[in-house]
Amino acid sequence: MSVVQNNSEKNKWYLVGILGGMGITMRHLLKNLFNKKQMETLNYPEEKYEYSPRFKGNHVLTVKKDGALRCTACMLCATNCPAECIKITAAEHSDPRVEKYPISYEIDILRCVFCGFCEEACPVDAIRMGPEWQTPGVNGTNFIYDINKLAYRPNLKGGIQTHVDDEERHKSGI
Amino acid sequence: MPKCTINGKEVEVKAGSTIIEAMYQEKESIAHYCYHPGLSVAGVCRLCMVEIEGNPRVQIACNTVVTEGMKVNNTSAKVKDAVKWGLDFHLINHPLDCPICDQAGECGLQDQYMEFGKYDPEMAERKQKKHKVVDLGPTVVLDSERCILCSRCVRFTDEVSKTHELGLFNRGDRTEIGTVEGKQLDNKYSLNTVDICPVGALTSKDFRFRQRVWYLKDAETICPGCSTGCSTKVYFNKEGMFRVKPVYNESVNGHWMCDEGRATYKFINREHRLLKAKKGKSGQWSEVAPGAAAKELSGILKGTNADSLGLVLTAQYSVEEYEAIVSTFVNTFKSKKVFFWVNNKESFESFDGLLLRGDKNPNTKGLLKILDKYGLTATWGDLKSGIEKGELKTLVVAGPENQAVFPDLGEKITELSKVPKLIWLQAGKNEQLEALTGDVTLIPLKTYVEKDGTFVNHQGLEQKFKRVTTVVSEALTLDQAAQLMSGQEIKITTADTFIESNRRPDEVMLEHRKKNEFVFKRGTL
Ligand code: SF4
Ligand code: SF4
Ligand code: SF4
Ligand code: SF4
Ligand code: FES
C-alpha cells in the first residue's frame, strides 16, 4: 500500500479537530442525561423495537377457515427459494376439493436468507413473512421449522387466516 | 412425391401426407393438441392452424393433405392470432389449477400459452364445473375440468389397446371424458393415455404428487421388463427414480409401452437394494465391501475342482456381462457347468399382439448366443441331478434383477441353497436369501440404469444402452464381479451417486440442489 505522507503545516492543527469531536460527544451526553425521553438508543432486551408489520421476519403458514393449512404443496416456494431451504412432501387429500396438501413442510431457518421470494411465489397466500425477528436458540434448538411451528406456534393464536379462499372462488365461478 | 414450401423452405414429402406430418419431418414447431403421430386424425382442437397461399382462411394442418406446389406457413400474424383465440376457447372452462396439477411444467396449455397466448382473458362468464379426481381405474385419475377434449385418450383405447373403455359423454361445454358404464380403464397399456394427454386431465396414480416434473432429470435407456425391449426414458433425481416413459422407436415399440414396464424403476431405488456384500455361515451374517468379497472368492473358486463348480444365469444381464462371466468360468475355472434359469416357462412364447411378451427377460437371445458361442449345453436337469448327487458343491448364481417377474424365485432359492457353498449375485434385497443358514455369500450388483451394455431383444435386434446414473456406487456389475473372481485386479471407480451422465459442460454443480431440470434444458418449444 502506498501511504502518502502529508507533512504540511496544516497537520499540526489536529488537536483542534479532536477537541471539536469531543465537544459533539459531550453535547449528546448532556442532552441524553437531561432529556431522557428523546434518547435514540433502546435498553435491549428489556425494551424492544416495534418494526412495521411489513418487516420480513420468520415465516407464517396461513390457514383456511377450518384451521387446516392453506398450502397446496405446489412447491413453487421451494423452487423459487434461492437458499433451497424449503422441503415439502406432498400427499393426496381425501377431500377431492383439496386434492393435494403437504404432509410435511420444513424450513431450515438457519439457511434462509429472508429474501421473501417464497412469499412472492406462493399463488394462494399460504406463506407469509411475519414481523417476528427474535428467534435465538441455545444448543440443541431445532432450527428446522415444521408445520407445527410455522402455522400453529402459540403467538399466532391458532393461525393466521389466508386471503385466498377456494370456496368463495368456486362460488363466483372462477 | 409432392413438393411444397413450408415456412419458406422447399420440402418433399410422401404422397398423401398431411401438412402437420411435413412439419414434423422438417422439425418445424406447430401448436397442436389432438394430433398424435400414433393415432388417427380427429381435427378437433383447431390449434394446428396454418395459412395456405391462395386460401382465404387458415386451415388445420393435421387434416389437410399436402398437394404439389402448396405454400404453407404457420408464422404469419394471421395464424398466430387464430391460435391465440383458439387457445382462449380452450381455456374458457379450464380451472387453471396448475399449482396442484401434476402436468404443470410439461403441460401443452402452459407451453402454447407462453408461445402464442399471453392475452388477458375476456370471458366474464362463470366457468363450467365438472368432476374432479375421478377414479378411472387402477392406474389413472381423471380431472374433467382440465380436459380439453382432444379425444386422444379415447382414440388410444379404440385404436391401440382396442379395449374401448373411454368415451366422450354429454354435449357442448358439458362434455366430459368418462368410462363406459360399468367399465374401468383397466388394460395393460392404460398409462399411455397419461403420456398422450396434453394437459393434466389424466394423471398416473403411481406418480401423482410424488415430484414436480421440473425436479426430474431424464435419460434414455431400454426397458428390461420383457423381451420386446422398448426404448424408454427414466426420470430421476437424487431422491431416486420416479417414472418411466416410452420413447419413439420405429422398429421396436412405436410410441407406446406397457404398464408393467413402467414399474421397472422401482427395484432400482435404494430401499430395495442390497447395499453391501453379506457373508453368511449358519445364520451368522457379516457385511463386507462388494469388491473385497468378490476378490476373496477368487482364491476359493480357483481352488475348487472344476467338476463341482457351477454357474446359474438369468437372462437379465447384458451381453457384455455374460461374455465376461462365461469366459471366466470356461477359461479360468475350466467349468462347463453353466445353467440357464428360465423363469415363467409356460408363458415364454406368448405375445399379446401389441408389445408384451411372455418372456420377461430383456436378453434371452443374448444369453443363448453366448452359451452357444462357448458350446455350453448343460440343462436344468443336469443341475438338479448334480445337486442331488452331491457333485455340485459350489454354485455361483446371477439372480434376477427384476424379482417381480420370477414367480419361481422362492422355489429356486430353496433348490439351489442345497449346495454346500452358494454365491448369489443380485441387485435387490431378498428376505429368503437373507434367511438362508448355509454357507452363503450375497454380492450386490448394479441395475440396468447403472451400466453400459447391450440387450438382444426377441427379434434379435441388438440395442445398446448407456449408463444413466449410479444408485448404489459400491455395487459391482457382473463383468466386474467376474474379473475379480478370476483374480484380475480392476479399478472400481465409485462414482458419486446420482450424477447425471448428460451434464452440460458449463453446468454449475451443487450436490444438495434439487435443480429445476425442466426449465434448465427445455430450450424452445
Ligand atoms: S425467505 Fe427466501 S431464503 Fe427464506 S425460505 Fe423464503 S425464499 Fe427461501
Ligand atoms: S406455501 Fe404456497 S408456494 Fe409453497 S408449496 Fe404451499 S402453496 Fe405452494
Ligand atoms: S392442465 Fe396445464 S394449464 Fe391446466 S391446470 Fe394443469 S398444468 Fe395448469
Ligand atoms: S383426458 Fe386428456 S387425452 Fe383425453 S380428451 Fe381430455 S385432454 Fe385429451
Ligand atoms: S392438431 Fe389439428 S385440429 Fe388438433
Side-chain angles (χ1 to χ4, degrees), chain A:
Chain A
M1 198 162 80
S2 71
V3 178
V4 181
Q5 296 276 348
N6 191 348
N7 290 325
S8 67
E9 285 295 298
K10 251 200 205 158
N11 270 8
K12 303 230 165 81
W13 295 96
Y14 68 91
L15 203 62
V16 180
I18 287 180
L19 288 178
M22 299 277 266
I24 292 172
T25 310
M26 216 53 177
R27 200 171 73 226
H28 278 288
L29 177 71
L30 294 174
K31 203 172 101 195
N32 286 343
L33 272 181
F34 296 112
N35 193 359
K36 269 192 181 164
K37 281 211 182 97
Q38 273 183 13
M39 200 156 69
E40 299 280 345
T41 48
L42 286 178
N43 290 320
Y44 185 82
E46 287 81 25
E47 284 172 47
K48 281 172 187 153
Y49 185 76
E50 272 298 314
Y51 283 102
S52 99
R54 294 168 59 184
F55 181 80
K56 287 185 196 299
N58 279 354
H59 308 72
V60 175
L61 285 182
T62 60
V63 296
K64 291 183 269 197
K65 282 205 184 93
D66 60 358
L69 275 195
R70 172 68 268 230
C71 174
T72 59
C74 68
M75 321 235 175
L76 294 187
C77 51
T79 305
N80 212 19
C81 174
E84 307 193 340
C85 58
I86 305 180
K87 189 164 172 269
I88 306 164
T89 313
E92 181 123 25
H93 202 281
S94 51
D95 181 355
R97 281 169 310 174
V98 179
E99 208 173 339
K100 192 179 179 187
Y101 79 114
I103 42 172
S104 107
Y105 189 114
E106 287 172 351
I107 297 182
D108 184 346
I109 210 75
L110 291 185
R111 279 183 56 176
C112 173
V113 295
F114 295 95
C115 60
F117 280 15
C118 44
E119 190 183 25
E120 300 274 323
C122 184
V124 291
D125 180 39
I127 190 163
R128 292 189 203 158
M129 314 276 298
E132 219 179 312
W133 54 278
Q134 294 167 302
T135 40
V138 287
N139 276 356
T141 309
N142 189 5
F143 282 110
I144 296 180
Y145 291 177
D146 58 1
I147 292 178
N148 256 338
K149 171 101 182 175
L150 289 168
Y152 306 114
R153 55 178 174 261
N155 57 350
L156 297 181
K157 305 200 173 64
I160 307 282
Q161 260 204 21
T162 173
H163 294 315
V164 185
D165 189 324
D166 272 347
E167 300 274 314
E168 279 165 22
R169 281 170 67 212
H170 283 308
K171 262 189 220 134
S172 59
I174 309 174

Side-chain angles (χ1 to χ4, degrees), chain A residues 72-76 78-80 83-84 87-93 95-101 111 123-124 169-174, chain B residues 95-102 125-127 129 132-133 141 143 145-146 205 208-212 214-215 239 510 512-516:
Chain A
T72 59
C74 68
M75 321 235 175
L76 294 187
T79 305
N80 212 19
E84 307 193 340
K87 189 164 172 269
I88 306 164
T89 313
E92 181 123 25
H93 202 281
D95 181 355
R97 281 169 310 174
V98 179
E99 208 173 339
K100 192 179 179 187
Y101 79 114
R111 279 183 56 176
V124 291
R169 281 170 67 212
H170 283 308
K171 262 189 220 134
S172 59
I174 309 174
Chain B
L96 284 178
D97 47 2
C98 310
I100 51 167
C101 180
D102 242 14
E125 280 73 16
R126 289 166 148 249
K127 290 200 185 226
K129 295 286 168 201
K132 287 187 95 69
V133 203
V141 179
D143 186 312
E145 283 188 344
R146 291 183 199 143
K205 276 191 188 167
R208 230 167 117 80
F209 303 158
R210 290 189 53 217
Q211 282 289 324
R212 299 306 325 236
W214 55 82
Y215 288 141
E239 287 165 33
L510 273 173
H512 66 271
R513 277 192 77 150
K514 218 157 87 170
K515 272 196 306 297
N516 190 339

